[in-house]
mmCIF file of all heavy atoms in Angstrom:
data_model
loop_
_atom_site.group_PDB
_atom_site.id
_atom_site.type_symbol
_atom_site.label_atom_id
_atom_site.label_comp_id
_atom_site.label_asym_id
_atom_site.label_seq_id
_atom_site.Cartn_x
_atom_site.Cartn_y
_atom_site.Cartn_z
ATOM 1 N N GLY V 46 -27.710 104.576 19.567
ATOM 2 C CA GLY V 46 -26.710 104.098 18.644
ATOM 3 C C GLY V 46 -26.762 102.637 18.480
ATOM 4 O O GLY V 46 -27.631 101.936 18.930
ATOM 5 N N ALA V 47 -25.682 102.121 17.741
ATOM 6 C CA ALA V 47 -25.631 100.741 17.359
ATOM 7 C C ALA V 47 -25.345 99.850 18.484
ATOM 8 O O ALA V 47 -24.617 100.313 19.523
ATOM 9 C CB ALA V 47 -24.604 100.563 16.278
ATOM 10 N N TRP V 48 -25.817 98.664 18.525
ATOM 11 C CA TRP V 48 -25.437 97.613 19.550
ATOM 12 C C TRP V 48 -24.035 97.246 19.224
ATOM 13 O O TRP V 48 -23.586 97.231 18.101
ATOM 14 C CB TRP V 48 -26.375 96.454 19.502
ATOM 15 C CG TRP V 48 -27.815 96.738 19.984
ATOM 16 C CD1 TRP V 48 -28.351 97.918 20.238
ATOM 17 C CD2 TRP V 48 -28.731 95.736 20.147
ATOM 18 N NE1 TRP V 48 -29.663 97.765 20.574
ATOM 19 C CE2 TRP V 48 -29.902 96.369 20.527
ATOM 20 C CE3 TRP V 48 -28.852 94.409 20.024
ATOM 21 C CZ2 TRP V 48 -31.140 95.720 20.813
ATOM 22 C CZ3 TRP V 48 -29.933 93.723 20.360
ATOM 23 C CH2 TRP V 48 -31.110 94.365 20.725
ATOM 24 N N ILE V 49 -23.321 96.701 20.304
ATOM 25 C CA ILE V 49 -21.927 96.250 20.147
ATOM 26 C C ILE V 49 -21.963 94.756 20.480
ATOM 27 O O ILE V 49 -22.427 94.397 21.597
ATOM 28 C CB ILE V 49 -20.988 97.025 20.936
ATOM 29 C CG1 ILE V 49 -20.875 98.436 20.537
ATOM 30 C CG2 ILE V 49 -19.549 96.381 20.812
ATOM 31 C CD1 ILE V 49 -21.715 99.371 21.306
ATOM 32 N N GLY V 50 -21.514 93.847 19.616
ATOM 33 C CA GLY V 50 -21.397 92.538 19.896
ATOM 34 C C GLY V 50 -19.920 92.068 20.112
ATOM 35 O O GLY V 50 -19.120 92.473 19.175
ATOM 36 N N LEU V 51 -19.563 91.537 21.143
ATOM 37 C CA LEU V 51 -18.117 91.200 21.398
ATOM 38 C C LEU V 51 -17.927 89.712 21.404
ATOM 39 O O LEU V 51 -18.642 88.969 22.025
ATOM 40 C CB LEU V 51 -17.792 91.731 22.839
ATOM 41 C CG LEU V 51 -16.342 91.671 23.349
ATOM 42 C CD1 LEU V 51 -15.339 92.313 22.307
ATOM 43 C CD2 LEU V 51 -16.224 92.266 24.597
ATOM 44 N N THR V 52 -17.018 89.296 20.538
ATOM 45 C CA THR V 52 -16.741 87.874 20.383
ATOM 46 C C THR V 52 -15.176 87.603 20.202
ATOM 47 O O THR V 52 -14.493 88.580 19.914
ATOM 48 C CB THR V 52 -17.547 87.254 19.202
ATOM 49 O OG1 THR V 52 -17.403 85.879 19.181
ATOM 50 C CG2 THR V 52 -17.063 87.820 17.823
ATOM 51 N N SER V 53 -14.791 86.365 20.383
ATOM 52 C CA SER V 53 -13.433 86.077 20.201
ATOM 53 C C SER V 53 -13.067 85.822 18.787
ATOM 54 O O SER V 53 -13.882 85.131 18.066
ATOM 55 C CB SER V 53 -12.937 84.896 21.092
ATOM 56 O OG SER V 53 -13.610 83.713 20.736
ATOM 57 N N SER V 54 -11.836 86.067 18.315
ATOM 58 C CA SER V 54 -11.404 85.866 17.036
ATOM 59 C C SER V 54 -9.809 85.951 17.023
ATOM 60 O O SER V 54 -9.268 86.799 17.543
ATOM 61 C CB SER V 54 -11.902 86.897 16.033
ATOM 62 O OG SER V 54 -11.290 86.725 14.781
ATOM 63 N N PRO V 55 -9.201 84.934 16.377
ATOM 64 C CA PRO V 55 -7.768 84.971 16.280
ATOM 65 C C PRO V 55 -7.320 86.120 15.320
ATOM 66 O O PRO V 55 -6.156 86.479 15.292
ATOM 67 C CB PRO V 55 -7.408 83.695 15.718
ATOM 68 C CG PRO V 55 -8.596 83.227 15.007
ATOM 69 C CD PRO V 55 -9.768 83.670 15.710
ATOM 70 N N HIS V 56 -8.220 86.717 14.518
ATOM 71 C CA HIS V 56 -7.847 87.825 13.586
ATOM 72 C C HIS V 56 -8.071 89.158 14.212
ATOM 73 O O HIS V 56 -7.924 90.155 13.421
ATOM 74 C CB HIS V 56 -8.753 87.655 12.315
ATOM 75 C CG HIS V 56 -8.659 86.282 11.706
ATOM 76 N ND1 HIS V 56 -7.424 85.894 11.149
ATOM 77 C CD2 HIS V 56 -9.458 85.298 11.579
ATOM 78 C CE1 HIS V 56 -7.635 84.631 10.701
ATOM 79 N NE2 HIS V 56 -8.881 84.246 10.991
ATOM 80 N N ALA V 57 -8.381 89.292 15.415
ATOM 81 C CA ALA V 57 -8.584 90.602 16.112
ATOM 82 C C ALA V 57 -7.234 91.467 15.900
ATOM 83 O O ALA V 57 -6.233 90.886 15.906
ATOM 84 C CB ALA V 57 -8.834 90.434 17.580
#
Side-chain angles (χ1 to χ4, degrees):
W48 291 9
I49 297 95
L51 184 57
T52 190
S53 65
S54 171
H56 304 293

